[in-house]
Amino acid sequence: MSSIATGNTGSASGITFGGLASGIDTTSIISRLVALEQIPINRLQARQQEIQNKQGTYANLKSRMSAVAQAAGALNNPDAFNPVTGSSSTPLTATISTTSSATAGTYNLQVLKLAAAQKITSSAQSDTTSALGLPTGTFTLKGRAVDIDASDSLTTIARKVNSLGVGVTASLIDGGTGSAYLTLTSSSMGAANKISMGDLKGTPLESLGITSGAASVRESITNGATSTAFSSSSSPIGTQMAATGLGASSFSINGTVINADLSVNSLQDVANSINAASVGATASVRSVTTAGVTSYKLDIVGAAGTPTFNDPNNVLSGIGVLQQAPVKEIVAASDASYKLDGLLLSNSSNSISTAIPGATITLLMADATTPPSTTLSLNRDVGSIKSKVQNLVDAYNTLTGYIGQNSKFDSKTNLGGPLLGDSVSQQVQSSISNILFNNVPGTSQSYSNLTALGFQFDTSGILSFDDTKLTNAINSAPDDVSKLFRSFGTGSNSTISYVSSTSKTLASGVSNYSLNITQLATKATFDSGADSTGASTAAETLNFTGSMFGASPYSMTLDIGSTLASTVAKINSDSKLKDQVFASVNGNRIHIDSKRFGANGSFSVSSTMPPDGANSGIGTGGVSTAVAGKDVAGTINGEAVTGSGQFMTGNIGNKTTEGLQLQYTGTSTGIVGNMVYSKGVGSQLNELIGGYTDGQTGLMTITDTSLQKEIDGITTQMTDLNNRLAGYQQDLKVKFAAMESAISKFQQQSSQLAGLSTRVG
């Protein structure tokens, strides 16, 4: 019987023989067979990587598109073309800064006096830490109580003052034994912000050497004096001061004694007591609103000049009507004094934001005898405008450069970039490029598109503009240049004004949007229901309610002795009401008009007293007449609107005018005119790209979703193929193992037969 070769022999297939029962390298055979089945998976992996690369390319494309939209959006704003920069010819005298609302102009400034914050000091004490041994007492500081006892040192008093948080800072100066001082400094500059202080119980301020002498009027008003400000007109004054141990006391006005107890009396109670005493003076509580915070002051006005006051128990000193003079004033509270174009003006601080609209002047140097001067110039910031335009040009060139770089064909490798022949990037580039040089309806003939500003493409498609042309256009016709970039509307008459729009608002094109008014906007009114024929004999509170005041009704107290004229004057001077309503006398009754058009300006007034001739005549309810304000109503381009006062806004879902807001100030109804609404290049680009990149329906989002689905589908295919391949490999192993087992058994039988043949022979 012949034997089976077991030596190693080569093969063109790479399969070798030897070392197994069969002499065949089954591991290599299986590996090669599996590798052949792996080829489709490898192709899928390559395709998936290609799609992922394109997905990354689209992400970078979207980022560059967003940069164009952002640059375009910055130009879709009227303020972008009206920036004004300020300069001072002598910046050591004063500087000037501007906001977007500033307008160009030149001003001459002379500074006579700088504003200053009051600073006063105590008399010299032994040191800052030893007990001063002061008699027990209480003083007030801007309406808050500070208790003093014998164990207090300058340090502990300073801590007590600083813990109040009332805008007065206590500091210590230690010049050695016998030269220690407590200083009090107002946190705010200006004459009106001098420190309000007074002894309430005992004489602690006098004992510290801070004040001395007879008390006099702290803050004068016409023919009278006013108190410091308190947070409430109706809460006990002592409670607001956080003062304890107060009780029945008194003071006098024009020689008439008036009883008061600050532990239970409010400002209004004190005013009522003064008015009831018939002292030849009238007291009233006045509201003051500063930085949105309303506080209340007690005004005492004489019938013929400032009344005389006597305050033996420190009632008036405690509430800040009277005050002793400071013993040593290091710095007096003062307002800034200056001349602007020859007009003498003043300000409570050295930062002046009201003199020139949109600008803030900072005073730095002053001299009353020889005032230092400077020329303040406000000029259009052409550089800032050109910078915004350049940002748009740069963003566009970056975008198109990216598309071009990724659309190239490499002749050496015969490979194209990921965007070669790509319809998405071609659509993006084409649509953006087309917008750049479209005519903008509603613009002037001289500036109807960007070519008037020197915009052009070079042979490589690079966008640029002529710097000289753009500069001249901004200087000569800034509004025309602005319209080339932003959304704008032009009414056919002065009663129709464009306010705003959204991306949902469609441009009217060469036609226009007609405005039909079916209801005019009106202001709310109120008329008292009964005549007022004499001065009031009791205090009365008026309550203002309605949509104008929302969830926070407003109350105002009329003092005893109030007349029709004084009630109207008080309403019109009230810090909150004066900006919302205007009161007048109509016969013997009060008439009040809202200062706001529409339903949101509606209001009503009621009184705590039934009407009669000796009060306002408003009554407790049901007597007076309140007429609500109406919102404008009508249509724009035949489409429904929502009115708010004189403003009308196209409703959501309107085909053409959604989000378009106009103001109508006319007095006619029916077809009152029309509006031409246009979108400049910046607005169009911002909206176009916004549509492309929208997170739900944008082309870039849809494309990315499609690519991701393809990637996920390939992943699923590869998973299925890998599972099948693993089974195929396992099946091969089982079959080859069976073959090896069969060959092994055959070899064993062959050996046994060979041995048997030898024994027989």
Side-chain angles (χ1 to χ4, degrees):
M1 186 175 183
S2 61
S3 62
I4 298 177
T6 58
N8 291 331
T9 62
S11 167
S13 67
I15 300 175
T16 60
F17 298 86
L20 299 172
S22 64
I24 301 174
D25 188 352
T26 55
T27 300
S28 295
I29 295 173
I30 293 173
S31 178
R32 290 307 179 98
L33 291 173
V34 169
L36 290 174
E37 295 295 324
Q38 179 74 36
I39 291 174
I41 297 176
N42 294 340
R43 289 173 179 166
L44 287 173
Q45 287 176 329
R47 174 57 181 160
Q48 187 178 60
Q49 184 61 55
E50 180 184 347
I51 298 171
Q52 288 173 333
N53 291 341
K54 192 163 190 176
Q55 192 177 40
T57 302
Y58 278 142
N60 290 328
L61 176 64
K62 181 179 178 180
S63 174
R64 286 157 175 77
M65 291 168 61
S66 296
V68 175
Q70 184 176 3
L75 291 166
N76 184 27
N77 186 334
D79 289 341
F81 294 86
N82 292 308
V84 172
T85 182
S87 64
S88 171
S89 63
T90 311
L92 292 178
T93 298
T95 60
I96 187 168
S97 60
T98 60
T99 66
S100 61
S101 62
T103 56
T106 303
Y107 306 85
N108 179 260
L109 173 70
Q110 293 178 292
V111 188
L112 288 75
K113 187 179 183 180
L114 294 178
Q118 186 182 34
K119 188 170 188 176
I120 58 181
T121 182
S122 69
S123 59
Q125 306 296 325
S126 59
D127 57 55
T128 61
T129 57
S130 298
L132 298 173
L134 298 174
T136 299
T138 301
F139 68 89
T140 60
L141 198 62
K142 297 192 76 170
R144 292 293 300 279
V146 180
D147 295 323
I148 300 296
D149 58 46
S151 64
D152 285 334
S153 64
L154 289 183
T155 298
T156 55
I157 294 174
R159 288 173 180 168
K160 289 180 179 181
V161 169
N162 291 333
S163 68
L164 297 177
V166 294
V168 176
T169 301
S171 305
L172 301 173
I173 298 176
D174 192 348
T177 303
S179 298
Y181 300 87
L182 173 72
T183 65
L184 299 176
T185 307
S186 175
S187 300
S188 302
M189 296 180 178
N193 293 310
K194 64 183 178 181
I195 301 171
S196 169
M197 56 187 175
D199 285 327
L200 183 62
K201 292 190 298 182
T203 58
L205 290 177
E206 280 195 81
S207 300
L208 284 166
I210 293 176
T211 61
S212 68
S216 59
V217 171
R218 181 191 63 84
E219 181 181 349
S220 296
I221 56 176
T222 303
N223 293 331
T226 188
S227 72
T228 193
F230 291 89
S231 60
S232 171
S233 63
S234 56
S235 298
I237 298 172
T239 301
Q240 296 182 67
M241 289 179 172
T244 59
L246 303 177
S249 192
S250 64
F251 58 91
S252 64
I253 299 178
N254 292 333
T256 300
V257 175
I258 299 165
N259 296 318
D261 184 347
L262 299 186
S263 65
V264 294
N265 288 157
S266 65
L267 285 181
Q268 191 60 55
D269 292 335
V270 175
N272 292 341
S273 296
I274 294 172
N275 292 332
S278 300
V279 297
T282 301
S284 62
V285 177
R286 170 169 52 98
S287 66
V288 179
T289 301
T290 304
V293 178
T294 300
S295 55
Y296 301 87
K297 305 181 78 171
L298 174 66
D299 292 345
I300 305 175
V301 179
T306 301
T308 58
F309 300 99
N310 186 29
D311 190 31
N313 300 309
N314 290 336
V315 176
L316 297 179
S317 293
I319 63 176
V321 173
L322 303 179
Q323 182 168 306
Q324 291 178 299
V327 175
K328 187 171 184 180
E329 189 175 49
I330 301 174
V331 179
S334 63
D335 291 335
S337 177
Y338 63 100
K339 288 183 178 181
L340 194 64
D341 283 349
L343 300 174
L344 182 62
L345 304 170
S346 63
N347 196 67
S348 61
S349 77
N350 294 316
S351 180
I352 305 165
S353 58
T354 55
I356 301 176
T360 298
I361 305 169
T362 302
L363 307 180
L364 301 173
M365 183 184 298
D367 189 304
T369 304
T370 308
S373 64
T374 185
T375 299
L376 303 176
S377 300
L378 301 180
N379 300 303
R380 188 181 303 279
D381 190 355
V382 177
S384 175
I385 299 172
K386 291 196 296 184
S387 177
K388 290 182 174 65
V389 174
Q390 185 66 57
N391 288 341
L392 175 60
V393 170
D394 291 344
Y396 172 82
N397 287 333
T398 298
L399 170 64
T400 57
Y402 181 78
I403 294 173
Q405 185 66 33
N406 286 275
S407 300
K408 291 181 177 179
F409 178 78
D410 190 337
S411 59
K412 294 181 180 180
T413 62
N414 289 326
L415 295 176
L419 297 180
L420 179 63
D422 177 68
S423 61
V424 172
S425 59
Q426 289 175 354
Q427 180 181 345
V428 168
Q429 185 172 18
S430 175
S431 58
I432 291 177
S433 299
N434 288 339
I435 284 177
L436 287 172
F437 292 99
N438 284 343
N439 287 341
V440 178
T443 53
S444 68
Q445 291 184 351
S446 299
Y447 297 99
S448 59
N449 59 52
L450 294 186
T451 58
L453 306 180
F455 274 71
Q456 62 180 2
F457 286 128
D458 67 12
T459 55
S460 301
I462 300 299
L463 180 66
S464 64
F465 62 86
D466 187 309
D467 186 88
T468 300
K469 279 190 175 181
L470 178 60
T471 300
N472 291 339
I474 293 172
N475 287 326
S476 62
D479 189 54
D480 288 341
V481 175
S482 170
K483 288 180 178 179
L484 284 175
F485 292 95
R486 65 179 176 87
S487 296
F488 65 94
T490 305
S492 58
N493 58 66
S494 61
T495 65
I496 304 171
S497 302
Y498 167 77
V499 179
S500 63
S501 57
T502 71
S503 61
K504 298 292 183 67
T505 311
L506 299 186
S508 61
V510 295
S511 60
N512 51 61
Y513 291 154
S514 63
L515 182 61
N516 181 31
I517 301 298
T518 57
Q519 176 177 281
L520 295 173
T522 62
K523 295 179 179 180
T525 61
F526 177 87
D527 290 280
S528 58
D531 289 345
S532 176
T533 55
S536 63
T537 56
E540 178 184 5
T541 299
L542 301 183
N543 297 308
F544 291 77
T545 58
S547 57
M548 176 184 288
F549 298 93
S552 303
Y554 186 72
S555 298
M556 184 180 72
T557 300
L558 303 178
D559 307 301
I560 296 174
S562 294
T563 63
L564 205 59
S566 67
T567 297
V568 165
K570 188 166 187 176
I571 292 172
N572 292 336
S573 63
D574 184 85
S575 62
K576 183 169 184 177
L577 295 176
K578 67 180 181 180
D579 295 324
Q580 297 176 300
V581 299
F582 178 78
S584 59
V585 176
N586 182 17
N588 289 324
R589 300 188 181 189
I590 296 174
H591 175 80
I592 307 175
D593 290 298
S594 171
K595 289 188 175 183
R596 186 188 310 169
F597 281 95
N600 286 335
S602 298
F603 70 98
S604 185
V605 190
S606 62
S607 170
T608 54
M609 303 188 67
D612 63 39
N615 60 33
S616 68
I618 289 175
T620 56
V623 177
S624 299
T625 302
V627 178
K630 295 180 180 179
D631 296 317
V632 65
T635 61
I636 304 175
N637 198 35
E639 297 177 342
V641 300
T642 298
S644 178
Q646 294 180 317
F647 298 90
M648 50 201 313
T649 305
N651 288 349
I652 295 174
N654 283 0
K655 184 177 179 181
T656 60
T657 62
E658 178 176 343
L660 177 61
Q661 186 176 71
L662 309 180
Q663 182 183 22
Y664 177 64
T665 59
T667 57
S668 301
T669 57
I671 302 298
V672 297
N674 57 68
M675 166 71 67
V676 176
Y677 171 66
S678 299
K679 295 186 177 184
V681 171
S683 175
Q684 292 180 51
L685 286 176
N686 188 263
E687 292 180 11
L688 173 72
I689 297 173
Y692 280 150
T693 58
D694 181 83
Q696 299 295 325
T697 61
L699 174 63
M700 301 304 294
T701 301
I702 293 172
T703 302
D704 182 74
T705 301
S706 177
L707 291 175
Q708 188 59 51
K709 286 182 178 179
E710 192 172 352
I711 291 170
D712 294 340
I714 291 174
T715 298
T716 300
Q717 291 181 60
M718 289 192 299
T719 300
D720 291 342
L721 288 175
N722 279 318
N723 290 336
R724 289 168 55 189
L725 187 60
Y728 175 65
Q729 185 178 30
Q730 183 62 32
D731 184 56
L732 288 175
K733 288 180 179 180
V734 171
K735 288 180 178 179
F736 274 101
M739 181 192 73
E740 289 294 331
S741 177
I743 292 173
S744 177
K745 290 180 179 179
F746 174 74
Q747 288 174 339
Q748 289 176 4
Q749 291 174 358
S750 178
S751 296
Q752 291 173 356
L753 289 173
L756 179 61
S757 176
T758 300
R759 288 195 297 274
V760 171

